[in-house]
């Protein structure tokens, strides 16, 4: 510490008790910062480890679902091939070798693989270990695998699993290969051969690379017995190595379906965070790890910033304390200097004021006059100087032209009132407004300030105008409209009525969107001028905001007067307007309420006129409506229905029904559409057509949609695997921005494969914000969810969206199905839709099929599926499951009868 610093501390602790406590407090504050920084660092560290672990868990969950689905797809091909072997009557190994080594089998395998382009090649192996057929090349390569362990296991161990997964060196490529094989046995259990495929680890590792979590992270695929199948970053030395032989903590990972924690890596010996998850249907484990050091990389950066901020804060506090102490010790010296400068500063302040300043003594003699006063009136400093009288100053102003009026009378009036504080505004001969304030002093003198308030008064007048008038149209605004209407309501005399016209310009938003706000503003100004011309001399026209106007019509003695004004308004606004070179025509929806007939209170008459306007809009716009009591009843009924709907959502009052979809090709049930139902405790079943629009207007559709999606996925997970679930998605749900995350959460919670979920959307989803909606649809397709376009043909943009997004299904609206059988029916439209869908590899579903004739025509036209009361109405979850079993039984019986008839024939 310097000598100056020691002397400063000595002065602080010896001479000044308060400063001593200030220093102690600063030291405690610095200590608190250090402790807080340490605690925050520990908290950040634990949070970084938790976030890294959560990221690993999400990664292995995604990988497990992804590869389980791919391997299940291959298992389906294997099972189909085994069914083919049985159906063709192959019973011996020799028959197996002869009949499956031909090119027809190669084409069969190739056709199955072409449906799954990511699957790779499939090989068929006979009982002697020879590859007799392959989906990739013809003829099959001459390779024998009789010496392989998996082959010997299948051949000599009848109790071994039907499917084996093993890593080995390929005899074709010389590289490591993961082999997936399934045993094929004869009717009596004798071993006839195998069907399998080999996947090079690079195929998995390439996918691992695309989801890699950063430097130091690894992703591995291992067999449940501990054998490493694939790993990124790739390591040839570790391929095929068994990691189940290590410590107990390492072995325990392979015995659990899910593991998350920390271990010491057997590969590089580093402390690693690990998350592992087993595939639901295969003995394979997906594992993701990252080093503890990598997980804490961001933490180190945070700690550096935290330490820097804490250190800077401590230094700043120390610096502030030193500065305060030094300033307090030097205060005495500075006070003396301040007294010296005070007079100079006062002079500068007085002469730089925006106001003119005069100070008079008790004898009306000038003591102080600043430069601003001289300049304000253009006076001579030689005349206006200390010692001159108040009367001399006013006389000088009169002589120079800055004062108009009688100088003697003005001086007498000021001197009469000078003993009390008084204020006045005077106008000068050059048009300025000067505010004069006289402040009395105790010694009998006074201070006078003169301020030029010309611009301020103009601004205040402008503000007052803007507070009551619309800035764009210069019509009275909503506030002034309410004031005028309140006065008019109180002034209604007997035998007369008052009419409030609420006017809403139709389709004004379209003008703004198409031509821009400048053109829209010109249109509003033109409409405002037209309305002003239509109004009578006692009528009051106002702009309420946006594209809404109002007219208060007074002195109404008959409804004809109101209708005449409405007719003038329609005639005026329907006349084309020239707005910046655009010839625009417009129209309006007008609501009318009469006082005192419909209401006498201000709020009620406004509410009634507003309801009448919305009734006019609901009637198709371009018209007018008078208020009716039924309108208020409908509003109250809709509000009550909204309250009941909120209660139903909160207390589980909604149900999910399912309407099955039937294949027109083989009469199988291919899927079910989830439909929400509301059983009201008093009204019974409420139609979705009543409560769904309310839910969309209020935003409740987000809660309803999420609940329906979660419930339907959970219940559909127990259905047969070949039956899909269809869920409708509202345009409002697309605007939430979290739709994809909610769908992924529902699939993960229910374990329903994404390929079994089908989302039905309407064109309204795409019309509102097509680029954002298309991006969301592509994200959903990327995770495997199917997308169907509902109510096809009822909008104007269907074909463009079919071109921009590859939908999986098109649903033909029931309006086209209902008259398909008529002489001038819609069969040609349905045929065009079916042909269009077929050309773009989409299926078609006809809605609202109610007759067998409609079903027959749809089958003839090539429609893929049907849905309607002819087969089944929507049913609760338990009833639709019973329908699945009953329909499968009937279908099997019918096919049995058909088979016996063919044999008899």
């Amino acid at each position: 510490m310097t000598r100056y610093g020691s002397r400063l501390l000595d002065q602080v602790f010896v001479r000044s008790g308060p400063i001593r406590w200030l220093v102690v407090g600063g030291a405690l504050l610095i200590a608190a910062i250090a402790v807080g920084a340490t605690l925050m660092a520990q908290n950040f560290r634990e949070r970084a480890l938790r976030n890294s672990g959560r990221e690993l868990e999400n990664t292995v969950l995604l990988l497990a679902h992804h590869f389980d689905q791919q391997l299940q797809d291959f298992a389906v091909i294997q099972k189909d091939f085994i069914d083919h072997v049985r159906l063709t009557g192959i019973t011996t190994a020799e028959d197996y070798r002869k009949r499956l080594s031909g090119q027809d089998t190669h084409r069969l395998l190739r056709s199955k693989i072409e449906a799954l382009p990511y699957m790779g090649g499939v090989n068929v192996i006979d009982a002697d270990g020879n590859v007799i057929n392959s989906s990739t090349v013809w003829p099959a390569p001459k390779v024998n695998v009789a010496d392989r362990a998996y082959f010997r296991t299948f051949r000599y161990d009848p109790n071994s699993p039907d499917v084996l997964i093993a890593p080995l060196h390929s005899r074709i490529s010389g590289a490591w290969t993961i082999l997936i094989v399934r045993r094929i046995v004869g009717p009596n259990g004798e071993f006839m051969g195998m069907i399998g495929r080999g996947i090079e680890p690079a195929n998995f590792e390439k996918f691992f690379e695309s989801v890699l979590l950063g430097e130091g992270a690894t992703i591995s695929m291992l067999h449940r017995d501990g054998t490493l199948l694939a790993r990124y970053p790739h390591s040839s030395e570790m391929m095929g190595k068994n990691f189940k032989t290590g410590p107990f903590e390492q072995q325990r990972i392979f015995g659990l379906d899910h593991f998350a924690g920390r271990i010491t890596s057997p590969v590089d010996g580093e402390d690693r965070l690990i998350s592992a998850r087993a595939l639901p249907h295969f003995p394979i484990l997906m594992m993701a790890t990252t080093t503890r050091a990598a997980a804490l990389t961001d933490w180190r950066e945070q700690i550096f910033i935290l330490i820097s901020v804490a250190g800077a804060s401590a230094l700043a506090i120390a610096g502030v304390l030193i500065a305060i102490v030094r300033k307090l010790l030097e205060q005495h010296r500075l006070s003396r200097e301040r007294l010296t400068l005070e007079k100079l500063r006062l002079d500068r302040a007085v002469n730089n004021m925006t106001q003119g300043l005069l100070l008079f003594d008790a004898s009306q003699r000038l003591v102080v006059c600043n430069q601003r006063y001289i300049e304000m009136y253009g006076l001579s400093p030689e005349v206006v100087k200390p010692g001159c009288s108040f009367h001399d100053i006013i006389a000088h102003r009169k002589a120079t032209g800055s004062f108009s009026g009688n100088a003697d009378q003005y001086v007498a009036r000021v001197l009469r009132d000078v003993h009390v504080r008084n204020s006045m505004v005077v106008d000068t001969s050059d048009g300025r407004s000067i505010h004069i304030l006289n402040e009395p002093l105790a010694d009998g003198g006074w201070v006078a300030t003169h301020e030029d308030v010309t611009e301020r008064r103009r601004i205040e007048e402008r503000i007052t105008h803007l507070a009551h008038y619309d800035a764009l149209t210069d019509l009275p605004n909503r506030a002034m409209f309410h004031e005028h209407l309140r006065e008019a309501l109180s002034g209604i005399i007997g035998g007369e009525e008052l009419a409030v016209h609420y006017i809403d310009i139709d389709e004004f938003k379209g003008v703004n969107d198409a031509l821009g706000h400048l053109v829209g503003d010109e249109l509003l100004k033109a409409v405002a001028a037209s309305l002003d011309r239509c109004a009578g001399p006692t009528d009051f026209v106002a702009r309420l905001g946006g594209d809404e106007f109002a007219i208060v019509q007074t002195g109404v003695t008959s409804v004809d007067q109101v209708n005449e004004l409405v007719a003038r308004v329609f005639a005026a606004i329907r006349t084309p307007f020239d707005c910046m070179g655009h010839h625009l025509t417009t129209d309006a929806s007008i609501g009318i309420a009469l006082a005192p007939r419909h209401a006498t209170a201000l709020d009620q008459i406004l509410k009634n006129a507003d309801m009448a306007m919305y009734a006019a809009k609901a009637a198709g716009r371009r018209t007018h409506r008078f208020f009716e009591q039924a309108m208020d009843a409908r509003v109250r009924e809709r509000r009550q229905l909204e309250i009941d709907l909120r209660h139903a959502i909160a207390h589980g009052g909604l149900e999910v029904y399912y309407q099955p979809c039937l294949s027109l090709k083989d009469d199988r049930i291919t899927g079910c559409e989830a439909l929400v139902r509301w059983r009201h405790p008093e009204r019974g079943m409420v139609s979705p057509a009543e409560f769904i629009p309310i839910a969309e207007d209020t935003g409740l559709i987000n809660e309803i949609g999420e609940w329906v999606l979660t419930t339907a996925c959970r219940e559909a997970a127990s259905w047969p695997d070949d039956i899909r679930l269809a869920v409708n998605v509202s345009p409002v749900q697309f605007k939430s921005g979290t739709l994809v995350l909610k769908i992924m959460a529902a699939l993960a919670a229910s374990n329903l494969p994404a390929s079994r979920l089908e989302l039905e959307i309407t064109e309204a989803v795409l019309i509102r914000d097509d680029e954002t909606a298309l991006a969301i649809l592509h994200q959903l397709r990327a995770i495997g969810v199917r997308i169907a376009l509902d109510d096809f043909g009822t909008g104007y943009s269907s074909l463009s969206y079919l071109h921009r997004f590859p939908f999986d299904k098109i649903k033909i609206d029931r309006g086209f199905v209902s008259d398909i059988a008529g002489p001038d029916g819609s069969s040609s439209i349905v045929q065009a839709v079916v042909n269009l869908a077929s050309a773009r590899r989409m299926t078609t579903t006809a809605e609202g099929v109610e007759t067998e004739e409609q079903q027959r025509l749809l089958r003839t036209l090539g429609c893929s599926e049907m849905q309607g009361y002819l087969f089944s109405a929507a049913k609760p979850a338990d009833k639709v499951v019973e329908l699945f079993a009953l329909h499968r039984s009937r279908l099997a019986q019918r096919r049995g009868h058909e088979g016996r008839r063919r044999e008899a024939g």
Side-chain angles (χ1 to χ4, degrees), residues 19 45 70 87 91 132 166 246 363 387 545 549 632 711 810 829 881:
I19 296 179
R45 181 179 179 278
Q70 284 199 356
L87 291 174
T91 58
I132 62 173
S363 60
F549 297 86
D632 192 26
T711 303
I810 295 176
I829 297 176
V881 172

Side-chain angles (χ1 to χ4, degrees), residues 813-832:
D813 187 74
R814 63 180 66 247
F816 298 116
V817 176
S818 60
D819 64 345
I820 192 174
D824 296 324
S826 57
S827 60
S828 59
I829 297 176
V830 174
Q831 181 69 74

